[in-house]
Each structure stands twice: as C-alpha cells, then as structure tokens.
Amino acid sequence: MRMVDLIKKKRNGDSLSKEEIIFFINGYTTDAIPDYQASALLMAIYFKGMTAEEQADLTMAIVESGAQIDLSSIEGVKVDKHSTGGVGDTTSLILVPLVAACGVPVAKMSGRGLGHTGGTLDKLEAIEGFHIELTSEEFVNQVNELKLAIIGQSKNLTPADQKIYSLRDVTATVDSIPLIASSIMSKKIAAGADAIVLDVKTGDGAFMKSKEDALKLAKSMVEIGNHVGRKTMAIISDMSQPLGNAIGNSLEVIEAIDTLKGIGPKDLTELCLVLGSQMLVVGEKAETLEEGRGMLEQVINDGTALELFGTLIEAQGGNRAIIHDTALLPTAKYKIEVQAARSGYITEMGANDIGVAAMLLGAGRADKNDVIDLSVGIVLKKKIGDSVQKGDVLAVIHSNTEAVQQSESLLQEHIIIGDEAVLPPQLIGEVIHE
C-alpha cells in the first residue's frame, strides 16, 4: 500500500477503505508517513469529503492510535456530553450533578480552555482545593460510589488526533466537517462513553458560524456515534449571544450553583434541561425526553442536584460550603458598570467580541501558556430583546485593575441598542438522533 495512491484516490473523489484509513493513521502517528503527504490527503478530504462509513472508520482508527479508558467496571450506561464551545458555556458544571442525581453515572473527562474563558477544569479550580487528578482506580471507584467525577483528559488518548490537528492548523484544513467530527468523536469514544450527547453551537460566538454547517457537523457526529455502537444524540443551540449572564471562571461557578438552585438564567437553565433530558434517554433512565425533563426538574426543586455538586466538590478536595456561600470563591477587586449610552432595545450582542473583552481582563487564554485570573470576568445585565433606558447598566466588569478601557469599549461597541424591539434568538434548534 502506498500513500500516494491514497492521495490520488481521495483527490479523485473515491472512498477510502477501512484498511487504507488505518494505514494512513498508523503511518502518520509513527512518522512513517511525512507531513507533506499527510497534508495532501487532508486537503483532498477537505475538498472531496468523506462518506459516513469513511468517517466512522477514521474515527475508530484515531481511537485505536492510543490508550482507551475502560469504564466497564462502572455500573450502568456511561453517558458523556460534548459542547463545541462558546461564550459563557457553563453547562458541564450543571449537567454532571444534575444527571447523576437522576441515577445516570457521569464519568467526565474535561479540558482546559483556550480563548474567552477557561475550560471546565479551570472553572473547577476556582474552587480552592479542588483537584482534577485522580488515578484510574480512584476515578472508577468514585463514579461507582457517588455517580460522578470530573478529571483532566489523559494525554495518552488519541495521539493521532493531536498530531493531525497540529497539521490541520497550519494547512488551512481545520474547518473540514469530516475531520472535525472524527476529531471530537474519537476523544469521546476513547474516553469510554457508552452514549454521547452533543451540543453543537451556531452563531457569532460559535466555531460553526452558520446553522447549515452546524447541522452538517451534528449529523456527521451522530452518524459516527451510532455507526460504531454508541447511542448518540445532538442538538443545535444558539450562540449569537453569550449563554447565561456570567463570563469568567468563578463567576460561572456561581451561575452554575444558582442554576442548580433553580434561580439561574432562563437560557442556561433551558439548555441544561434539554441536554440533560437527552442524557437520561440515551442513558436508559428515561423513556422519553418529557419524562427526563420531569426528573431533572424534580432534583433541582428538592435540592438533590445541588447537594450532589457539593459532594463532588468535597470528594475531590474542595470546600463544599461554597454551594451555600459563593462569597468563598475568588472575588475581583473592582466592579465597574458599563452603562447604556442611549435608550432603546438590545438588538444584537456580539458574543465573540464580548468573550474577547472577558479574555482581555484575564478570564481566558490568548496563548496556551497564559495564566488565568480565576476571579475576573463580565456579568451581563441585559440580553437581546430587553428594553433599556439611557444610563441603565448593560454589564458589570469584574477586574483586578481599574484599567479596563479596552474591555469596556468592546462591550459598548458590541452590545447594540436599536430603536425597534426584537425577539430573543431561538435557543434550541434541530434535534438529531440518527
């Protein structure tokens, strides 16, 4: 088998066999195939696409390029959730205890953030003492005992994906749906999930800017998951404005706690109920989405989900008292109000630029080596569709310096006030399950 023949075959629009895909992945992972040939194949895939079977074969070849987490000793159907990311996306912190409180084991492996705010691990580290390092045995035992655990991703998973992504980044092949889908799904499958729920974002603050591309990606990932025996569901959700009100690590932990108390932002709460319902269905705990939603609402109303979040924090070294006293979390020195320059209605909120405003405060990383300030960020006081009067507070900047002009300017520029009222964007779009 020769790499040049695979490149020519895909260049001509033909499908690669499972054996050919394995040959490419194994060869590139072990340096037997050079970057220039791998780049040529990736570009051919970018232009010619892949069939559902090719994508499934590529995903499993990437999975098998490294270690795989064995969660078979955990009782029940292990459900994982993935979001394609956005601004103010705090859903993992809420969904892990929420779904676990309904009896579905959640063995969650999460990462750090590069961009607007930290990832799930960074947010959890805003809780003093919380440690994200557990041995495999501790991880499994904790999930069996408590139904939930959150740890850092293993560096031994999907080495082929890490190497291919680095090449895609410098060869303009990042935004290829087959390559994105196989990259995401390979990590979920290698992490041991039996079933997977996907939240594919679309809009200004999302990786997939158009609904059409978001739908293509969601369908591709669902096809891959179901093809390889993992029950998979997905939704398309809006990211034309930040999700919830808080952007920043300790601020998002506070918002997650509020949501588990039943007093969180409506959009964040609704998204968690939709995703959580799907997790209960694929986790075989609920027959229908409606039944699942009722179970989730019950564990919020009776406090079970909140207390289980406290149990998770305590089990992993943190102070569970924060669930009742969020003042124990890191707090910024200054709170600076951003006021409306005119009266009218909020018609647009540039989610990406609002996220950048938070990153400039220190809430996120522009470079992977940047150190995050866990206490800083932005709390929005208005969302699309709200009426405002001149002088109303649009947002509050939480900062450890008074020099926040750049962030303040971004907020003033990208929270658009118009004369005519508009409806809020539709939060939940299509639901994909096959």
Side-chain angles (χ1 to χ4, degrees):
M1 197 176 294
R2 299 189 310 162
M3 188 62 185
V4 67
D5 296 324
L6 273 64
I7 296 168
K8 182 178 180 181
K9 188 175 181 181
K10 180 48 67 178
R11 181 201 70 186
N12 293 340
D14 296 325
S15 297
L16 300 176
S17 69
K18 180 178 180 179
E19 292 71 26
E20 288 169 331
I21 290 171
I22 292 172
F23 170 79
F24 162 58
I25 292 298
N26 289 348
Y28 188 55
T29 306
T30 59
D31 297 324
I33 293 169
D35 282 351
Y36 61 83
Q37 285 189 314
S39 298
L41 183 59
L42 294 175
M43 189 61 77
I45 291 170
Y46 179 91
F47 282 112
K48 297 298 183 178
M50 300 185 96
T51 65
E53 187 170 358
E54 280 181 292
Q55 291 180 68
D57 289 339
L58 177 61
T59 301
M60 291 311 297
I62 294 172
V63 169
E64 290 162 4
S65 71
Q68 297 180 56
I69 306 298
D70 181 7
L71 301 180
S72 60
S73 58
I74 295 175
E75 301 165 6
V77 179
K78 278 71 71 180
V79 180
D80 203 352
K81 163 260 172 191
H82 177 80
S83 167
T84 56
V87 184
D89 187 353
T90 317
T91 52
S92 288
L93 295 186
I94 300 160
L95 283 167
V96 170
L98 188 58
V99 171
C102 295
V104 172
V106 186
K108 184 73 178 151
M109 294 186 188
S110 295
R112 300 195 180 277
L114 181 60
H116 311 118
T117 55
T120 298
L121 299 184
D122 300 297
K123 294 167 191 175
L124 286 169
E125 287 181 346
I127 303 168
E128 185 178 1
F130 194 101
H131 56 87
I132 50 92
E133 302 294 338
L134 297 177
T135 67
S136 296
E137 184 179 2
E138 289 170 337
F139 181 57
V140 168
N141 288 344
Q142 183 172 312
V143 178
N144 271 330
E145 181 182 351
L146 304 178
K147 291 293 186 189
L148 77 174
I150 305 178
I151 62 170
Q153 292 169 338
S154 168
K155 292 181 174 62
N156 299 322
L157 299 184
T158 64
D161 177 65
Q162 298 168 38
K163 193 171 182 186
I164 289 171
Y165 190 88
S166 296
L167 192 60
R168 287 167 57 204
D169 196 34
V170 295
T171 57
T173 53
V174 169
D175 52 343
S176 161
I177 285 176
L179 297 177
I180 298 168
S182 60
S183 174
I184 292 171
M185 292 301 290
S186 65
K187 290 190 278 286
K188 296 290 106 179
I189 293 165
D194 297 321
I196 302 163
V197 168
L198 303 159
D199 177 14
V200 181
K201 307 287 191 185
T202 183
D204 177 71
F207 180 65
M208 309 305 289
K209 302 299 183 188
S210 76
K211 289 183 180 179
E212 181 183 7
D213 285 344
L215 186 58
K216 286 179 182 176
L217 177 60
K219 286 183 174 178
S220 290
M221 292 193 291
V222 169
E223 283 180 349
I224 289 169
N226 290 331
H227 193 92
V228 301
R230 269 68 169 186
K231 192 170 183 181
T232 306
M233 296 181 72
I235 66 163
I236 309 298
S237 69
D238 177 74
M239 189 47 74
S240 60
Q241 65 177 338
L243 180 64
N245 300 326
I247 309 159
N249 298 281
S250 67
L251 297 173
E252 291 185 43
V253 174
I254 293 169
E255 190 160 86
I257 290 168
D258 284 345
T259 304
L260 290 169
K261 289 178 178 177
I263 56 172
K266 289 182 180 179
D267 57 348
L268 179 59
T269 300
E270 178 62 19
L271 183 58
C272 288
L273 290 173
V274 170
L275 292 170
S277 298
Q278 290 192 343
M279 292 174 76
L280 294 184
V281 168
V282 298
E284 300 177 2
K285 190 60 67 171
E287 291 287 333
T288 65
L289 296 174
E290 293 75 18
E291 181 188 357
R293 187 184 184 98
M295 294 169 66
L296 297 169
E297 289 172 341
Q298 177 62 36
V299 295
I300 290 174
N301 293 336
D302 66 16
T304 305
L306 178 66
E307 290 302 324
L308 191 54
F309 187 44
T311 300
L312 168 69
I313 291 167
E314 186 176 36
Q316 294 190 221
N319 181 3
R320 74 174 296 143
I322 69 154
I323 66 170
H324 300 297
D325 183 6
T326 56
L328 295 168
L329 289 159
T331 304
K333 186 176 180 181
Y334 300 102
K335 294 181 182 179
I336 300 161
E337 294 182 345
V338 178
Q339 298 179 345
R342 53 165 293 194
S343 299
Y345 301 88
I346 305 295
T347 58
E348 292 180 48
M349 300 189 82
N352 187 68
D353 290 285
I354 293 171
V356 170
M359 185 181 71
L360 291 172
L361 297 169
R365 298 180 178 89
D367 181 86
K368 65 181 180 180
N369 296 316
D370 288 350
V371 177
I372 285 179
D373 184 338
L374 297 168
S375 67
V376 303
I378 296 164
V379 176
L380 300 171
K381 297 298 183 180
K382 300 289 184 179
K383 300 290 284 284
I384 294 175
D386 290 345
S387 64
V388 296
Q389 298 297 314
K390 183 178 179 179
D392 281 356
V393 178
L394 300 176
V396 178
I397 294 173
H398 293 242
S399 174
N400 285 315
T401 174
E402 291 183 282
V404 297
Q405 292 85 354
Q406 198 172 1
S407 294
E408 187 171 4
S409 294
L410 281 169
L411 291 171
Q412 289 283 12
E413 185 179 349
H414 295 283
I415 300 177
I416 309 298
I417 301 173
D419 295 325
E420 302 292 330
V422 300
L423 293 174
Q426 181 179 332
L427 179 63
I428 309 296
E430 289 85 350
V431 177
I432 302 101
H433 53 80
E434 58 183 13

